[in-house]
Amino acid sequence: MSSPKRRLLVTSALPYANGQIHIGHLVEYVQTDIWVRFQRMRGHEVHYVGADDTHGTPIMLRAEKEGLTPKELIANVWKEHKRDFDDFLISFDNYYTTDSPENKKLSQSIYLKLRDAGLIEMRSIEQAYDPVKEMFLPDRFIKGECPKCGAKDQYGDSCEKCGATYSPTDLKNPFSVVSGATPIKKVSDHYFFKLSDPRCETFLRDWTQVRTPLQPEARNKMKEWVGQPGDSNLGDWDISRDAPYFGFEIPDAPGKYFYVWLDAPIGYYASFLNYCESKGLNFEEWVRPDTTTEQYHFIGKDILYFHTLFWPATLHFAGYRTPTNVFAHGFLTVDGEKMSKSRGTLISAHSVIESGFNPEWFRYYFATKLNDSMEDLDLNLQDFVARVNSDLLGKYINIASRSAGFLVKRFGGVVSDGAMNNPLLADIASASEKIAELYEAREYAKALRTIMELADKVNAFVDENKPWEIAKDPEREPDLQRVCSVTLEAFRLLSLYLKPVLPEVTAGVEDFLSVPAMTWNDVKTPLSSQNPIKPYKHLMTRVEAPQIEALLAANL
């Protein structure tokens, strides 16, 4: 049963243009991409957009250190990020930058709408200032001794040793990371988004607790902030930074710039606007408050606060539609521990490709771990090798290699008409809606378990019918063609179910089976005797343990 056609705008969080993409980042993009590819297979109109997050003090300082302008630096990093996403088959419709004319226009327009709504307030605040570099210092650019435990070389907002949080002014013996100088205190005018305004409190309480089907963990976390009427923990949000700063200048405020977290999420819309203008789509139709389109954001749980409080409030009070939902995932650990440069487990995306790994190995393994919760997931390297080889090679790919050769050599690649009437194929085809529901719900681990259980049934069918034995008896040619045809039809169905996860392998399968690009409805479309299959070619190789060792060594 086909579902009504939906119109979906989907985003992943914007990677900061101050570092490379590593496999921890890729969990999110793979999660999003699987969902997007599934929705496209269902026939929905889906637009998946992203961008590099390019503004802020770290970008400015790194560019200066490397002898580049900030724009030169972010252009270089954009190319690296886009290369990595392409290598891992992340199917963005548009991958852009937050340092764009579209983002500047939208950010300034949204700010002015918030100001006109009485939600922007200017206040004088005292901040740490570097007297040598002549710049105000973000918390992370101040270090010193923890005021709680005395640990040296701790950042200005939290202690990595004891976990304490504090203000930069609480640090003992503070120093500027930029120049080494002792910061001084200096007053500056800043602009605040009045999130504590009763209008914002009322809206966010309704949006997070009633209107939006947030994950239970996310809803409970937001409840701590929105509280009950008269009991909110929402504070006003400082959305400005002082020059020198790489970003967009605030209208009517010379020397003041939008804090990166103000214009970064607006970058979702800027990327989509850029895409709409290139494709002739009506941007306003997608983002106006009464639109029937859907809007989904995939993010890490560490930025939930920005996406479920600041972002929907910004959109709502600036006259835009709010997200249909925000999907947060947990962090990636490697062999049960946080990723570590010293242990070689802070694995860059590019090193995976340079080490000769198939990116679909990682796409599959991550998918076997992903569900609809915010729990962390672990990349166990021994399990990775075993799971990929057992599931993908032993259970799935092996099915095609066990039957295709007989069909090509003995029957010209022609599949028997009526093979789909076999009870095994009826069983596999009947699972399509269950698997679709699991993909829709982001329960990828359950979906893949279901698919591999079906693969087990197919392999049991092959073992029971033994086509290699049937092939020895000239009088059983019809049986051989029937068994191999049923097996290949089963392989087609399994490939269709795996297509969101393994797009490149599936493209090879489609070519091998002489079928057009498969959609979800093709569960009902049997292989045709009019289009013989092609000779089988290896679709995937095994992963070997020495490859893991080489990958870790490459990241030390």
Side-chain angles (χ1 to χ4, degrees):
M1 183 172 65
S2 61
S3 55
K5 186 171 182 178
R6 298 157 62 191
R7 307 177 74 201
L8 303 97
L9 173 61
V10 184
T11 76
S12 301
L14 312 182
Y16 199 44
N18 193 35
Q20 58 188 347
I21 303 296
H22 57 66
I23 57 171
H25 296 127
L26 285 171
V27 168
E28 178 174 308
Y29 301 98
V30 167
Q31 182 187 37
T32 316
D33 186 70
I34 290 171
W35 200 75
V36 164
R37 288 180 182 273
F38 164 72
Q39 301 295 354
R40 289 173 182 151
M41 287 184 71
R42 295 286 271 183
H44 303 311
E45 181 182 352
V46 189
H47 303 296
Y48 177 25
V49 300
D52 267 3
D53 180 6
T54 58
H55 291 155
T57 303
I59 299 289
M60 180 182 72
L61 294 176
R62 178 183 163 186
E64 182 181 295
K65 185 177 180 180
E66 295 184 14
L68 301 170
T69 66
K71 288 184 180 293
E72 289 171 335
L73 171 65
I74 62 175
N76 293 341
V77 173
W78 184 92
K79 292 175 185 175
E80 294 173 0
H81 286 181
K82 185 64 167 63
R83 172 203 66 200
D84 293 342
F85 291 137
D86 288 347
D87 283 343
F88 278 82
L89 312 174
I90 309 302
S91 58
F92 285 111
D93 290 300
N94 195 51
Y95 192 74
Y96 204 37
T97 172
T98 59
D99 190 49
S100 70
E102 294 91 345
N103 201 28
K104 182 176 183 179
K105 179 180 178 181
L106 283 172
S107 296
Q108 293 183 339
S109 169
I110 285 172
Y111 166 80
L112 291 173
K113 288 176 181 177
L114 296 176
R115 189 184 70 180
D116 291 346
L119 292 171
I120 302 295
E121 181 176 276
M122 187 180 75
R123 299 178 199 159
S124 294
I125 63 170
E126 190 175 66
Q127 290 180 284
Y129 184 81
D130 186 325
V132 174
K133 200 66 179 173
E134 296 184 330
M135 61 179 289
F136 286 97
L137 293 168
D139 295 351
R140 284 261 148 181
F141 284 82
I142 307 168
K143 282 190 173 183
E145 297 171 17
C146 173
K148 302 289 171 59
C149 73
K152 297 181 182 297
D153 206 33
Q154 297 304 308
Y155 287 111
D157 54 357
S158 64
C159 177
E160 293 182 335
K161 186 169 183 180
C162 73
T165 57
Y166 41 75
S167 167
T169 54
D170 295 331
L171 278 175
K172 298 176 182 177
N173 301 315
F175 63 92
S176 165
V177 174
V178 184
S179 71
T182 300
I184 62 173
K185 295 177 182 178
K186 193 170 181 179
V187 174
S188 176
D189 291 334
H190 274 234
Y191 293 81
F192 288 79
F193 179 13
K194 295 164 63 178
L195 212 62
S196 64
D197 185 288
R199 290 172 293 170
C200 290
E201 288 186 11
T202 300
F203 163 72
L204 287 172
R205 193 173 294 116
D206 176 62
W207 192 86
T208 63
Q209 303 302 308
V210 180
R211 193 189 317 173
T212 310
L214 294 173
Q215 294 149 290
E217 310 103 305
R219 185 184 298 111
N220 291 338
K221 190 66 181 173
M222 292 309 103
K223 192 172 184 178
E224 296 175 15
W225 290 97
V226 299
Q228 300 298 322
D231 184 33
S232 167
N233 290 312
L234 291 172
D236 294 339
W237 180 31
D238 188 347
I239 61 167
S240 65
R241 293 295 183 267
D242 291 280
Y245 190 82
F246 180 57
F248 297 139
E249 201 163 27
I250 297 176
D252 306 323
K256 305 292 180 180
Y257 292 80
F258 289 126
Y259 172 43
V260 61
W261 265 108
L262 185 283
D263 70 69
I266 296 171
Y268 296 136
Y269 273 15
S271 181
F272 186 54
L273 175 58
N274 175 262
Y275 176 73
C276 286
E277 290 176 342
S278 70
K279 299 294 182 182
L281 296 173
N282 186 335
F283 174 75
E284 294 298 329
E285 186 181 328
W286 285 75
V287 301
R288 67 174 189 256
D290 62 346
T291 183
T292 58
T293 64
E294 301 171 48
Q295 180 177 316
Y296 297 95
H297 301 292
F298 285 74
I299 61 165
K301 63 183 179 181
D302 56 326
I303 53 174
L304 189 66
Y305 185 90
F306 292 100
H307 283 81
T308 55
L309 294 178
F310 296 154
W311 178 228
T314 298
L315 290 170
H316 177 71
F317 290 102
Y320 290 93
R321 58 91 36 79
T322 51
T324 308
N325 212 339
V326 176
F327 300 137
H329 61 83
F331 301 133
L332 179 72
T333 57
V334 178
D335 289 338
E337 297 182 27
K338 291 177 68 174
M339 288 186 288
S340 162
K341 178 69 175 174
S342 62
R343 291 169 49 243
T345 55
L346 186 64
I347 301 169
S348 72
H350 193 51
S351 72
V352 171
I353 302 302
E354 285 192 314
S355 299
F357 278 68
N358 185 333
E360 289 186 296
W361 292 342
F362 281 92
R363 287 179 64 99
Y364 179 79
Y365 189 78
F366 288 157
T368 67
K369 299 280 188 172
L370 281 162
N371 55 36
D372 67 348
S373 80
M374 289 163 52
E375 65 187 20
D376 294 345
L377 55 156
D378 185 55
L379 168 59
N380 179 289
L381 294 170
Q382 284 188 323
D383 180 53
F384 171 79
V385 174
R387 179 74 66 93
V388 169
N389 289 342
S390 172
D391 287 4
L392 293 185
L393 279 298
K395 293 184 179 182
Y396 165 57
I397 297 292
N398 189 43
I399 292 171
S401 63
R402 299 178 81 182
S403 54
F406 291 121
L407 275 178
V408 171
K409 292 174 186 175
R410 306 277 276 269
F411 307 102
V414 175
V415 175
S416 301
D417 288 329
M420 285 297 291
N421 295 325
N422 187 282
L424 171 67
L425 295 176
D427 185 28
I428 298 174
S430 68
S432 66
E433 283 307 307
K434 175 187 176 183
I435 294 169
E437 288 171 5
L438 292 172
Y439 272 128
E440 176 69 42
R442 307 178 323 286
E443 290 283 6
Y444 303 159
K446 291 180 181 178
L448 293 185
R449 277 200 300 273
T450 302
I451 295 167
M452 287 303 143
E453 287 168 2
L454 296 174
D456 286 337
K457 292 183 180 182
V458 180
N459 282 300
F461 171 84
V462 176
D463 291 340
E464 180 182 336
N465 285 275
K466 298 180 175 59
W468 55 91
E469 293 290 344
I470 298 175
K472 296 175 183 178
D473 186 348
E475 295 185 2
R476 298 191 64 190
E477 290 285 283
D479 288 339
L480 179 62
Q481 187 178 20
R482 176 186 59 81
V483 169
C484 291
S485 296
V486 170
T487 304
L488 259 292
E489 285 284 17
F491 181 69
R492 174 185 68 83
L493 290 172
L494 295 176
S495 299
L496 186 154
Y497 296 155
L498 288 169
K499 185 173 180 176
V501 181
L502 305 174
E504 202 163 73
V505 164
T506 309
V509 170
E510 290 163 346
D511 179 64
F512 154 58
L513 296 180
S514 301
V515 297
M518 292 185 289
T519 68
W520 209 261
N521 282 337
D522 285 326
V523 165
K524 307 168 188 173
T525 309
L527 294 171
S528 171
S529 58
Q530 305 302 312
N531 295 303
I533 69 168
K534 298 176 182 177
Y536 175 76
K537 296 179 181 178
H538 288 300
L539 294 164
M540 182 176 279
T541 59
R542 293 171 57 84
V543 56
E544 304 292 347
Q547 291 176 277
I548 296 291
E549 296 168 13
L551 180 62
L552 296 179
N555 284 277
L556 285 173

